[in-house]
């Protein structure tokens, strides 16, 4: 059994536990909200349970909210934002989202498969070592905090 199969099965079981549904109801293409009935509080609980199970910090909320993606005045992710999304989350269905890139549709991309891939990405980054953190020197120079952590590369 390869790592993806094992991670997929374990992640599916954890999702089922969090949502109090039967494991056979969880499929790779199942969308967390639309198909499985998950809510934002469930997503937070899922993140906690995955972190606990794998022993690795995972910020599913950052992926699901993708608050760092630039949008236009109508709430559409900009072309630059779509490119960033491809870099940060290569496992998401970019093509389907790009057809109507409304930020309000982003949670539709949160399938069991996408969550599994995010878990794998998080675990592999942890094994390889944390990405370097960037200190905001201007904040320090202006008498701000001892430095603030910038965004980590995806």
């Amino acid at each position: 059994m390869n790592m993806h199969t094992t991670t997929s099965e374990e992640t599916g079981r954890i999702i089922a536990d969090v949502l109090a549904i039967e494991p056979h109801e969880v499929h790779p293409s199942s969308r967390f909200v639309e198909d499985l009935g998950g809510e934002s509080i469930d997503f937070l609980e899922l993140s906690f349970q995955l972190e606990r199970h794998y022993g690795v910090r995972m910020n599913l909320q950052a992926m699901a909210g993708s608050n760092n993606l630039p949008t236009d005045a109508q709430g559409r992710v900009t072309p630059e934002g779509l490119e960033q999304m491809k870099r940060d989350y290569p496992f998401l269905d970019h093509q389907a989202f790009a057809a109507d890139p409304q930020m309000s549709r982003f949670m539709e991309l949160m399938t069991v498969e996408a969550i599994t891939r995010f878990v794998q990405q998080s675990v592999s980054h942890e094994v390889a070592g944390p990405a370097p953190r960037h200190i905001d020197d201007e904040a320090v120079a202006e008498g701000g905090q001892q430095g603030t952590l910038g965004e980590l590369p995806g």
Side-chain angles (χ1 to χ4, degrees):
M1 191 178 305
N2 65 34
M3 179 184 164
H4 179 73
T5 302
T6 302
T7 305
S8 180
E9 290 170 357
E10 291 173 357
T11 301
R13 183 188 52 75
I14 293 168
I15 290 171
D17 287 347
V18 166
L19 297 177
I21 60 177
E22 294 297 320
H24 71 270
E25 297 177 66
V26 179
H27 306 281
S29 62
S30 299
R31 294 172 296 174
F32 189 80
V33 174
E34 291 85 354
D35 300 328
L36 301 177
E39 298 179 0
S40 58
I41 191 74
D42 299 319
F43 209 67
L44 183 63
E45 178 64 18
L46 176 62
S47 185
F48 173 74
Q49 293 300 330
L50 289 170
E51 286 180 10
R52 199 163 110 185
H53 180 80
Y54 290 100
V56 173
R57 175 92 171 99
M58 292 181 215
N59 193 348
L60 279 173
Q61 293 78 15
M63 178 179 68
S66 287
N67 296 329
N68 57 340
L69 294 177
T71 57
D72 64 17
Q74 289 78 35
R76 290 185 306 257
V77 177
T78 64
E80 296 81 19
L82 291 172
E83 287 303 314
Q84 179 182 340
M85 188 175 95
K86 288 178 186 176
R87 272 191 320 274
D88 293 348
Y89 311 115
F91 44 82
L92 294 178
D93 186 356
H94 305 106
Q95 189 173 1
F97 185 73
D100 181 19
Q102 290 292 328
M103 196 64 217
S104 60
R105 291 187 53 237
F106 199 82
M107 275 302 287
E108 293 175 21
L109 300 175
M110 297 302 107
T111 63
V112 172
E113 177 70 16
I115 294 167
T116 297
R117 297 287 179 117
F118 183 77
V119 167
Q120 291 171 327
Q121 179 180 359
S122 299
V123 169
S124 68
H125 282 189
E126 185 71 19
V127 169
R133 295 174 185 251
H134 303 282
I135 302 296
D136 184 347
D137 294 324
E138 289 179 32
V140 173
E142 293 174 8
Q145 297 178 349
Q146 297 258 343
T148 57
L149 296 177
E151 288 291 316
L152 297 177

